[in-house]
Amino acid sequence: MTRYQHLANLIAERIEQGLYRHGEKLPSVRALSQEHGVSISTVQQAYQTLETLQLITPQPRSGYFIAPRKAQPPVPAMSRPVQRPVDVTHWDQILTMLDARHDKSIIPFGGGSPDITQPSLKPLWREMARLVQHHATDIFSYDELAGRRELREQIARLMLDSEAVASADDIIITSGCHAALAIALLAVCKPGDIVAIESPSFYGTMQLLRGFDIKAIEIPTDPQTGISVEALEMALEQWPIKGVILVPNCNNPLGFIMPDARKRAVLALAQRHDIVIFEDDVYGELANDYPRPRTIKSWDIDGRVLLCSSFTKTIAPGLRVGWIVPGRYHDRVLHMKYAATGTNVPTTQLAVAAFVREGHYHRHMRRMRQIYQSNMETYTCWLRQYFPCGICVTRPEGGFMLWVELPEMVDMVCVAKQLCELKIQVAPGTLFSASGKYRNCLRINCALPTTEKHREVMEKLGEAIHLAME
């Protein structure tokens, strides 16, 4: 953490604790500089950060004052989806959003890409250049089917942070988390099967179900504690469900971390009904607090949890390096991987293995957790400032996604089409529901830097929503 960020956090904590009251004048820049032994420019940067967060306000020739506190918008209530198996739709809308990734003129507020501009990634780019220059024969050859052992050993080490114990032989490398989930579903399910999902749920996962002709049953999900164990149990008693797909840590799109007691309860339910848990942990490393939260896999004793993850959200999507820990389905998953995708690219695997082994990954993660947490606070302030009253906003415990629930009369599908004309892309809530719910909701990507340009986009988004309400 930089000095100005540390100072800004310290003052923010004092404001939160009530040590500074509304309208009270803060110490001058010079006085604060002397008190904390930092430069005047450091104090100025700290005050600018607090001003962006709307915690303080400047007054010409008078200094900085504590801003009036705006009430935090409430968190959305638990979802109430229709609890019956349905076919997933919305492929055309998803395809349009995927195509927009390559149009540099579009501002991708609806996407899920991480920030790949940080200097903490430079060691990885250098390692990739070194591999190409000195190991061309090795990296241009076929890879091992299970993936490079060097990488699998490093992933096994990283898994210890989530209290899951696995060896390199337990891990299979895939082309990202999406591919890991696809192979896991192919290994366990057949066309016509039913899989339970959280509601709302990531649209990419639902498109896998659509592609494999698997029906989805949406389960009520709390934005702070996760899937309803009681509702899942009722669904299991009523329908022949094959498995459940969960994102329990830094959920996409709601941002919650499921409490450990709930994770264990879901696992016990899976054991009792003999179903599979497909655990998507792609955001788990981005939890605000360290050590990172436990995975459901860490309690798995009979191999029914297929843990899927990748470096897509933590490092960069273009690496296409993911993995699966398939438990009892290891041989079947390895066969499905060969049948569906074959082997992986050696270059990015070896580069990531070195990045982790030499300690660069952990340094990068510390930086990104801090940046995303700060971004989330800023975007939440912009939501309070520019969006209409009556909104509900999640309070993520990690990751970089915000879920916004707007008044019922707002149709975000129509608003999204209008914003396309302004080269602004958003993800309406319907994409995150197999049955087309959440038409008045949207997901916002807070990995986008908190620049003046993005503040203006949030202001335009708020204006479009105000117009829709009128």
Side-chain angles (χ1 to χ4, degrees):
M1 187 180 296
T2 62
R3 289 184 177 180
Y4 84 85
Q5 288 172 325
H6 179 79
L7 182 59
N9 285 352
L10 179 65
I11 298 171
E13 285 175 10
R14 290 178 177 176
I15 295 171
E16 190 69 31
Q17 293 165 359
L19 299 178
Y20 293 122
R21 294 185 299 277
H22 161 49
E24 184 176 343
K25 183 179 180 180
L26 285 162
S28 68
V29 170
R30 189 173 300 279
L32 210 57
S33 167
Q34 293 172 348
E35 179 186 346
H36 293 276
V38 296
S39 67
I40 286 176
S41 64
T42 295
V43 178
Q44 289 172 333
Q45 282 182 291
Y47 274 169
Q48 286 169 5
T49 300
L50 294 169
E51 186 182 351
T52 301
L53 294 173
Q54 299 179 7
L55 294 175
I56 66 174
T57 56
Q59 293 186 14
R61 293 190 291 276
S62 296
Y64 287 91
F65 293 79
I66 303 299
R69 294 298 302 274
K70 289 188 177 180
Q72 282 272 62
V75 174
M78 178 180 281
S79 62
R80 300 291 178 192
V82 177
Q83 286 186 257
R84 57 179 173 78
V86 297
D87 293 314
V88 177
T89 56
H90 305 308
W91 169 239
D92 291 342
Q93 295 174 44
I94 302 296
L95 189 59
T96 300
M97 189 150 61
L98 294 176
D99 288 342
R101 286 175 175 173
H102 307 290
D103 187 341
K104 301 301 181 185
S105 67
I106 293 177
I107 302 170
F109 267 77
S113 293
D115 183 349
I116 57 172
T117 65
Q118 297 301 318
S120 48
L121 287 176
K122 286 181 180 178
L124 179 65
W125 314 146
R126 286 197 296 267
E127 180 62 21
M128 290 183 70
R130 188 189 70 80
L131 286 167
V132 172
Q133 187 174 2
H134 299 291
H135 299 276
T137 303
D138 192 24
I139 64 175
F140 291 139
S141 301
Y142 276 116
D143 185 34
E144 302 170 56
L145 181 56
R148 288 296 171 130
R149 175 164 286 273
E150 302 98 307
L151 177 60
R152 288 184 280 134
E153 287 173 349
Q154 295 306 317
I155 291 170
R157 285 179 53 204
L158 291 177
M159 285 179 61
L160 293 174
D161 284 344
S162 67
E163 300 192 38
V165 178
S167 70
D169 293 330
D170 298 323
I171 299 166
I172 297 172
I173 303 301
T174 62
S175 181
C177 189
H178 191 82
L181 281 167
I183 293 166
L185 287 165
L186 284 171
V188 175
C189 302
K190 62 182 185 299
D193 280 345
I194 303 170
V195 169
I197 59 173
E198 299 155 324
S199 184
S201 188
F202 173 50
Y203 55 76
T205 301
M206 288 192 291
Q207 290 306 316
L208 287 176
L209 300 180
R210 173 188 168 94
F212 299 149
D213 194 22
I214 298 170
K215 293 185 183 297
I217 180 166
E218 296 180 79
I219 307 297
T221 303
D222 187 279
Q224 294 177 291
T225 57
I227 197 167
S228 167
V229 181
E230 298 77 16
L232 177 59
E233 185 169 21
M234 288 177 61
L236 288 169
E237 291 170 350
Q238 188 176 1
W239 304 97
I241 293 170
K242 201 67 171 283
V244 56
I245 301 175
L246 297 174
V247 189
N249 294 321
C250 309
N251 176 271
N252 175 20
L254 297 176
F256 61 78
I257 294 175
M258 188 186 291
D260 285 353
R262 249 181 214 239
K263 291 174 182 173
R264 291 196 300 269
V266 169
L267 180 58
L269 198 58
Q271 291 167 339
R272 192 158 66 248
H273 289 267
D274 194 24
I275 65 166
V276 171
I277 295 177
F278 304 95
E279 182 175 14
D280 179 348
D281 191 52
V282 72
Y283 289 94
E285 291 279 342
L286 291 172
N288 293 342
D289 296 327
Y290 189 85
R292 55 146 296 159
R294 289 185 68 164
T295 55
I296 299 175
K297 183 70 178 176
S298 67
W299 287 286
D300 183 27
I301 59 173
D302 58 359
R304 70 178 60 251
V305 179
L306 289 88
L307 177 70
C308 302
S309 192
S310 79
F311 293 105
T312 296
K313 306 302 181 183
T314 54
I315 302 180
L319 295 171
R320 305 318 304 147
V321 177
W323 64 92
I324 178 171
V325 189
R328 65 167 78 161
Y329 297 94
H330 185 278
D331 293 346
R332 177 70 175 160
V333 163
L334 196 62
H335 185 200
M336 286 299 101
K337 181 194 172 183
Y338 179 71
T341 64
T343 58
N344 299 100
V345 178
T347 315
T348 51
Q349 290 184 71
L350 292 170
V352 170
F355 190 67
V356 176
R357 183 178 60 248
E358 294 168 13
H360 301 301
Y361 176 74
H362 283 297
R363 283 192 285 274
H364 177 65
M365 290 311 304
R366 284 195 294 271
R367 181 185 187 92
M368 299 319 297
R369 289 187 198 104
Q370 183 182 38
I371 288 172
Y372 292 148
Q373 193 172 0
S374 175
N375 285 5
M376 209 84 75
E377 291 172 357
T378 301
Y379 275 98
T380 302
C381 285
W382 287 343
L383 283 168
R384 291 206 308 264
Q385 185 173 356
Y386 301 122
F387 278 43
C389 296
I391 66 171
C392 295
V393 183
T394 51
R395 298 195 183 119
E397 297 179 82
F400 46 79
M401 301 297 183
L402 274 178
W403 179 259
V404 185
E405 183 182 287
L406 300 157
E408 286 287 344
M409 74 280 288
V410 178
D411 186 342
M412 273 311 302
V413 175
C414 293
V415 173
K417 289 178 182 176
Q418 295 165 7
L419 289 169
C420 282
E421 298 174 8
L422 300 175
K423 297 292 184 178
I424 299 170
Q425 179 207 67
V426 296
T430 50
L431 301 183
F432 302 84
S433 169
S435 56
K437 283 180 64 66
Y438 314 119
R439 206 171 178 90
N440 63 317
C441 299
L442 77 155
R443 188 192 71 175
I444 293 174
N445 180 6
C446 297
L448 298 174
T450 53
T451 59
E452 178 62 19
K453 175 183 177 181
H454 292 146
R455 184 201 64 76
E456 290 174 357
V457 171
M458 288 293 289
E459 188 172 7
K460 290 176 183 176
L461 179 53
E463 289 172 359
I465 291 168
H466 276 288
L467 282 173
M469 290 179 64
E470 293 171 3

